[in-house]
């Protein structure tokens, strides 16, 4: 039996608070030494901070870990207008300001990786190293966008256990990785009054025209200042490992690693391997910032 989320988190001292970031009442989990190097964990589209629950204890042994719910997501204020990448980048900058964090490592899964690259390009002085975990932002595959849109909106419109499970199982190499507890966590969020409307605004990035104007550019990848670890998996439904390899090649100091036996959530399905890769990469000396 898998370790329950809040049992895993109970292994480390942590806080869960709500902080005001502009108009967004933002749910934030923090763990680890408050004087340690900050490491921000960012989930994917329609996700929530529990996606990294099984990584927090290992990462918090070394870093000040911050995991949070985006605008429109989780238990943060719901969205009433479309959310494009500039909104997520501005919110992250405001969150770091609110928490008194000048610079941080960013560890982003899917949408989180997309936000991390955009943030690093816009605010290079505020980032240390990036871990891009099955990152989004470089592809616009119609079949994948339609699948995400269909599964996500159906789960938000009618948050039955079956629909929630179908959305989560799409993420995994092994459907058994989706526990009843994970379904219950997400179902409580998706059943919030107003969440179905918020999901429509989240899913604007699955519209081809909106997505194209938000895609990560080669110039933005080249602007990542201290290197990045790009993690892909053997069974990622969002696209082939070659997409991750190309991203790593375009980032100065970029590195690529493949995790076997995982889908879109290697941090969940292969947590020990994932934690070891992240800790090893972040422990290395930072690359010097590129000259401007």
């Amino acid at each position: 039996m898998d370790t329950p989320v809040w049992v895993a988190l109970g292994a480390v001292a942590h806080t869960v608070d709500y902080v005001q970031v502009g108009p967004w009442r933002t749910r934030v989990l923090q763990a680890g030494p408050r004087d340690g190097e900050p490491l921000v964990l960012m989930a994917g589209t329609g996700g929530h901070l529990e996606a990294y629950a099984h990584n927090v204890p290992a990462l918090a042994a070394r870093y000040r870990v911050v995991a949070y719910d985006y605008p429109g997501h989780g238990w943060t204020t719901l969205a009433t207008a479309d959310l494009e990448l500039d909104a997520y980048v501005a919110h992250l900058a405001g969150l770091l300001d609110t928490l008194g964090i000048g610079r941080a490592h960013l560890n982003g899964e899917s949408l989180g990786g997309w936000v991390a690259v955009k943030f690093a390009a816009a605010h290079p002085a505020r980032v240390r190293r990036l871990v891009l975990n099955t990152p989004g932002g470089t592809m616009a595959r119609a079949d994948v966008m339609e699948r995400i849109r269909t599964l996500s909106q159906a789960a938000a419109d009618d948050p039955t256990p079956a629909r929630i499970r179908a959305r989560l199982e799409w993420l995994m190499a092994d459907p058994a990785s989706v526990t009843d507890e994970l379904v219950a966590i997400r179902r409580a969020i998706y059943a919030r009054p107003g969440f179905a409307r918020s999901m429509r605004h989240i899913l604007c990035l699955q519209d081809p025209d909106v997505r194209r104007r938000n895609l990560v550019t080669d110039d933005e990848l080249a602007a990542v200042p201290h290197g990045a670890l790009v993690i892909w998996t053997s069974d990622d439904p969002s696209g082939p490992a070659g997409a991750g390899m190309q991203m790593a090649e375009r980032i100065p100091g970029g590195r690529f690693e493949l995790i076997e036996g995982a889908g879109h959530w290697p941090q969940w399905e292969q947590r020990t391997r994932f934690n070891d890769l992240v800790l090893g990469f972040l422990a290395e000396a930072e690359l010097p910032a590129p000259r401007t």
Side-chain angles (χ1 to χ4, degrees):
M1 181 178 177
D2 201 8
T3 305
V5 162
W6 292 100
V7 172
L9 288 170
V12 61
H14 67 273
T15 62
V16 179
D17 297 306
Y18 286 83
V19 300
Q20 197 69 32
V21 181
W24 307 103
R25 181 175 180 264
T26 304
R27 185 174 67 136
V28 181
L29 180 147
Q30 295 193 74
R34 291 300 173 96
D35 59 351
E37 291 179 12
L39 169 59
V40 181
L41 307 179
M42 300 184 290
T45 298
H48 36 84
L49 62 84
E50 286 87 355
Y52 277 96
H54 294 294
N55 315 107
V56 169
L59 301 177
R62 167 67 179 81
Y63 297 97
R64 176 187 176 182
V65 171
V66 176
Y68 70 101
D69 291 341
Y70 301 126
H73 290 66
W75 294 98
T76 290
T77 306
L78 298 179
T80 57
D82 286 355
L83 292 167
E84 298 190 34
L85 266 292
D86 58 350
Y88 294 107
V89 169
H91 178 261
L92 176 55
L95 176 65
L96 295 181
D97 290 342
T98 300
L99 299 179
I101 294 173
R103 296 175 69 217
H105 300 292
L106 303 180
N107 184 330
E109 173 255 320
S110 194
L111 173 61
W114 193 349
V115 175
V117 172
K118 291 280 188 179
F119 185 89
H123 304 285
R126 302 207 67 175
V127 299
R128 295 179 182 270
R129 294 198 137 192
L130 269 55
V131 176
L132 308 175
N133 172 19
T134 60
T138 63
M139 295 181 289
R141 291 179 51 183
D143 59 330
V144 174
M145 291 189 292
E146 180 57 28
R147 190 70 172 144
I148 293 171
R149 180 192 292 273
T150 300
L151 288 171
S152 300
Q153 195 62 58
D157 287 343
D158 182 22
T160 62
R163 290 188 182 274
I164 298 292
R165 183 173 290 279
R167 174 64 175 95
L168 289 166
E169 287 183 352
W170 182 83
L171 299 166
M172 308 295 185
D174 180 2
S177 299
V178 179
T179 62
D180 290 344
E181 181 201 28
L182 182 59
V183 171
I185 289 169
R186 183 161 290 203
R187 188 182 181 202
I189 291 168
Y190 280 29
R192 294 175 64 189
F195 192 84
R197 179 185 180 189
S198 190
M199 181 63 84
R200 289 182 173 82
H201 295 305
I202 291 167
L203 292 175
C204 71
L205 292 173
Q206 309 310 318
D207 175 272
D209 291 336
V210 176
R211 192 177 191 88
R212 274 192 290 271
R213 67 172 175 253
N214 283 274
L215 287 176
V216 170
T217 67
D218 285 351
D219 286 345
E220 288 171 328
L221 292 172
V224 173
H226 300 295
L229 173 64
V230 180
I231 296 175
W232 216 266
T233 66
S234 58
D235 297 273
D236 191 339
S238 72
M245 295 175 70
Q246 291 175 2
M247 180 180 276
E249 290 168 357
R250 288 174 169 83
I251 296 173
R255 185 179 309 170
F256 177 82
E257 292 283 351
L258 183 74
I259 294 181
E260 297 283 349
H264 207 50
W265 277 24
Q267 83 280 3
W268 182 278
E269 288 193 278
Q270 299 295 337
R271 61 199 63 159
T272 300
R273 173 69 172 148
F274 179 87
N275 293 341
D276 288 346
L277 284 173
V278 172
L279 288 168
F281 177 71
L282 296 183
E284 297 173 4
E286 271 186 15
L287 297 172
R291 293 182 180 181
T292 57

